[in-house]
């Protein structure tokens, strides 16, 4: 067996958090966390959006990315590895796709909304575009993220909403808005929303999201 085949067969001990109706949900939310965060972080932050007979699914990304603190290491994960200075992916989106797609197979007829924060927000439109013919993805909502329109189909069969903080220095605001322009034009319905916040998630991001829903 070649090395590539061996690597494909290595199991990933990926934790997936669920909240709500797993048996017969009327709506599914797939929550994609930011770099060095977890699915549980997303559940804790977004659980108030959940209505009766809906389901939140929040997986950990496949690659460990722990954060060193004074008391040790804090659990965290990454969806991909991109070096912006070299403009090079050491790990591209394919591993993330392989982890996410099976989570929605049992719900492929159910209306689905993707919510991605930071690194998860960069991933969300690409994942939705890649599987828009196979899954019932109706909305993609990104928070504190941006995305180039390259390699995304000219027509997106879902709505795209992007919430960005004007004080964000991690995903620099002006550059993010410039990049989002061509992407938003590809969606069925789209909107860019600016709030006077920095990058870190806080109640203002949550309130803006609830207004969209």
């Amino acid at each position: 067996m070649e090395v590539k085949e061996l690597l494909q067969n290595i199991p990933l001990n990926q934790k997936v958090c669920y909240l709500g109706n797993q048996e017969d949900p009327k709506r599914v939310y797939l929550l994609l966390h930011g770099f060095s965060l977890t699915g549980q972080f997303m559940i804790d932050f977004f659980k108030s959006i959940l209505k009766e007979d809906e389901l939140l699914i929040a997986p950990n990304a496949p690659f460990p990315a722990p954060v060193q603190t004074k008391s040790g290491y804090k659990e965290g994960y990454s969806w991909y590895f991109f070096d912006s200075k070299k403009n090079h992916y050491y790990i591209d989106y394919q591993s993330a796709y392989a982890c996410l797609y099976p989570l929605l197979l049992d719900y492929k007829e159910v209306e689905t909304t993707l919510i991605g924060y930071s690194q998860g927000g960069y991933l969300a439109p690409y994942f939705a575009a890649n599987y828009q013919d196979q899954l019932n993805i109706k909305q993609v909502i990104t928070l504190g993220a941006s995305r180039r329109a390259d390699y995304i189909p000219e027509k997106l069969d879902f709505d795209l909403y992007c919430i960005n903080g004007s004080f964000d220095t991690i995903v620099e605001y002006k550059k993010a808005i410039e990049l989002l322009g061509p992407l938003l034009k590809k969606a069925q319905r789209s909107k860019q929303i600016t709030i006077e916040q920095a990058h870190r998630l806080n109640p203002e991001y949550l309130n803006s999201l609830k207004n969209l829903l």
Side-chain angles (χ1 to χ4, degrees):
M1 185 179 293
E2 295 185 2
V3 173
K4 185 176 181 180
E5 293 178 272
L6 285 169
L7 291 175
Q8 288 174 339
N9 290 322
I10 295 175
L12 292 172
N13 296 318
Q14 183 190 32
K15 179 181 178 181
V16 182
C17 299
Y18 294 89
L19 182 66
N21 182 1
Q22 288 184 244
E23 299 302 320
D24 186 27
K26 293 180 180 178
R27 187 177 190 178
V28 169
Y29 296 95
L30 180 64
L31 309 180
L32 306 180
H33 64 73
F35 180 72
S36 288
L37 295 175
T38 65
Q40 187 62 55
F41 169 86
M42 297 294 280
I43 289 282
D44 293 341
F45 187 84
F46 291 105
K47 61 186 177 183
S48 63
I49 71 173
L50 191 66
K51 297 179 181 178
E52 188 177 355
D53 290 330
E54 295 182 340
L55 174 64
L56 301 183
I57 304 176
N60 287 346
F63 303 106
V67 179
Q68 188 171 16
T69 68
K70 292 181 179 179
S71 58
Y73 282 91
K74 183 179 178 181
E75 182 183 19
Y77 299 89
S78 178
W79 295 106
Y80 55 86
F81 178 21
F82 178 68
D83 188 328
S84 58
K85 291 185 178 180
K86 295 181 179 179
N87 195 32
H88 176 70
Y89 282 95
Y90 290 97
I91 301 174
D92 64 17
Y93 293 143
Q94 297 306 311
S95 296
Y97 292 170
C99 293
L100 294 174
Y101 179 63
L103 299 179
L104 295 177
L105 279 179
D106 289 340
Y107 308 108
K108 62 183 179 180
E109 304 300 328
V110 181
E111 182 174 315
T112 299
T113 294
L114 267 62
I115 299 174
Y117 165 55
S118 195
Q119 192 191 55
Y122 279 79
L123 171 64
Y126 268 40
F127 174 78
N130 199 62
Y131 292 102
Q132 63 183 2
D133 295 331
Q134 302 171 52
L135 300 170
N136 190 15
I137 298 173
K138 294 295 187 182
Q139 291 178 314
V140 173
I141 303 173
T142 69
L143 301 93
S146 187
R147 183 70 277 170
R148 289 174 55 176
D150 304 31
Y151 311 114
I152 286 184
E154 288 303 314
K155 183 178 182 297
L156 300 178
D157 296 329
F158 51 83
D159 301 337
L160 178 60
Y161 303 105
C162 303
I163 304 172
N164 293 82
S166 59
F167 304 142
D168 194 337
T169 57
I170 304 300
V171 178
E172 199 274 316
Y173 174 73
K174 290 184 179 179
K175 184 177 180 181
I177 301 307
E178 181 181 342
L179 288 175
L180 284 172
L183 177 61
L184 290 165
K185 292 178 181 178
K186 295 185 176 188
Q188 291 189 123
R189 287 181 292 274
S190 65
K191 188 175 183 180
Q192 191 282 318
I193 299 165
T194 296
I195 58 177
E196 294 184 351
Q197 300 294 324
H199 187 70
R200 193 178 186 88
L201 285 183
N202 59 29
E204 188 65 28
Y205 275 101
L206 188 59
N207 291 336
S208 297
L209 172 66
K210 288 180 176 179
N211 289 337
L212 288 174
L213 298 175

